[in-house]
Amino acid sequence: MGYAVVLGEALVDLLDAEHDGEPVYRQAIGGGPLNVAVAVARLGGEVQFVGSLGDDALATRIRAFLGAAGVGLEGAVTVPAPTALAVATFAGAEPDFRFYGEPRSYALLTADDLNVALIEGAQVLYCGSIVLLAPPVLAAARRAWAMAGALRVFDPNVRPSLLTGPGALDDLRAVVAEFAASAHLVKLSAADARLLYPKEPVEGVAAYLRELGAATVVVTLGADGALVAAADDVVRVPAPKVDAVDATGAGDSVMGALIADLLHAGEPVDPTGWRDRVAFALRVAGLVCESPGGASAMPTREAVAERFR
């Protein structure tokens, strides 16, 4: 079994919480791609994180957390910046993120920083999330995407609060189309789909991304499960019933589970195989939703099997 490379951001989340009846923020290591990398490792896959990390104590904690989770850091670079923060507030289980820090520690990876041998040797390459809004990291992702001989997976992981300025959404749509056109797998949430293509139903978005060239598209629907477009038909996969307390990282865990299975068994040979993979990924996400936090809630295969016997 080979390894995956996850290219993207790592930061620190400040999560809405309560202590002695007073509102407080709970610190958690996060970032969508970091969550994906940890999910892959917890599910038994070998994975390397590629991205820029700050030069402060919080970055030291991120490195220690990733190392303890079994995530490699051969492609991570240190940059002269404080670790970026994402403040999450909740209206229900879904978090709303606002980002702080200048310059953004996660947005300073350049194309010249890439470990070429690491990228070229990967069996699966993940790119996506908010780093694609930063021109230096977008250039690095494009270079990695072009050189990879691997299965390429993509997740736009849209954060509306970062889409500022005229044309920002159109620019992001162009980037999504660019990466989707040569992706083996695109995973996005229903919220991503509605923001990117507001006039299209989610089924239409999945079909459109396949028309662009994506081999398989998975759209997560929260408690309603997911849509899978792996052939001409778009099919729905139900989610398990869970007692959700925090959806942070749930979508990332779906991506991580799909990558872990790509490492273990390659691409499914038919749409039924994809449906089975997505059903397992939704069980992983369900278990994540039953625990607070994102990366720290990523489960092992044994924990998933025990919870959903």
Side-chain angles (χ1 to χ4, degrees):
M1 185 169 67
Y3 63 89
V5 163
V6 172
L7 189 155
E9 74 269 9
L11 41 75
V12 169
D13 292 332
L14 297 180
L15 305 175
D16 229 358
E18 187 177 290
H19 180 71
D20 290 338
E22 297 293 329
V24 298
Y25 284 106
R26 177 170 54 83
Q27 178 183 304
I29 289 167
L34 178 143
N35 293 339
V36 170
V38 172
V40 174
R42 292 260 171 86
L43 292 168
E46 185 178 346
V47 59
Q48 293 280 342
F49 176 80
V50 173
S52 56
L53 301 175
D55 60 357
D56 57 2
L58 292 180
T60 300
R61 293 178 191 175
I62 291 172
R63 287 180 175 275
F65 179 86
L66 287 172
V71 177
L73 289 163
E74 292 178 27
V77 299
T78 299
V79 295
T83 296
L85 303 176
V87 178
T89 53
F90 290 84
E94 289 288 342
D96 172 58
F97 288 97
R98 300 299 169 114
F99 297 84
Y100 299 87
E102 197 63 44
R104 300 277 168 86
S105 58
Y106 59 75
L108 300 177
L109 182 79
T110 70
D112 290 339
D113 291 325
L114 291 178
N115 182 327
V116 173
L118 188 71
I119 303 294
E120 290 180 336
Q123 183 177 332
V124 178
L125 171 67
Y126 162 105
C127 290
S129 200
I130 62 175
V131 293
L132 299 184
L133 300 175
V137 194
L138 177 57
R142 284 172 168 153
R143 185 184 183 205
W145 200 257
M147 72 172 61
L151 296 172
R152 293 181 295 274
V153 302
F154 177 72
D155 181 356
N157 195 29
V158 183
R159 297 294 180 222
S161 65
L162 292 175
L163 296 175
T164 58
L169 185 54
D170 287 337
D171 291 345
L172 179 58
R173 284 195 195 100
V175 171
V176 171
E178 174 189 346
F179 281 83
S182 55
H184 295 85
L185 170 65
V186 176
K187 196 283 296 180
L188 70 164
S189 69
D192 294 336
R194 286 192 293 267
L195 183 67
L196 289 166
Y197 312 103
K199 296 181 180 179
E200 288 287 335
V202 289
E203 294 87 351
V205 172
Y208 168 68
L209 293 173
R210 287 201 74 244
E211 289 173 7
L212 288 177
T216 300
V217 179
V218 174
V219 184
T220 55
L221 308 172
D224 292 327
L227 297 176
V228 185
D232 293 335
D233 294 332
V234 179
V235 301
R236 186 180 292 264
V237 181
K241 301 297 183 184
V242 299
D243 297 319
V245 297
D246 183 357
T248 305
D252 303 326
S253 74
V254 170
M255 184 86 266
L258 294 174
I259 291 174
D261 281 347
L262 286 173
L263 287 174
H264 179 70
E267 284 189 280
V269 297
D270 55 33
T272 300
W274 273 113
R275 289 196 294 271
D276 292 343
R277 299 260 183 108
V278 171
F280 171 72
L282 291 175
R283 293 194 291 274
V284 174
L287 191 50
V288 168
C289 287
E290 291 188 329
S291 300
S296 61
M298 298 299 167
T300 63
R301 288 186 184 273
E302 293 75 17
V304 177
E306 177 67 21
R307 172 64 180 82
F308 297 106
R309 281 190 294 182

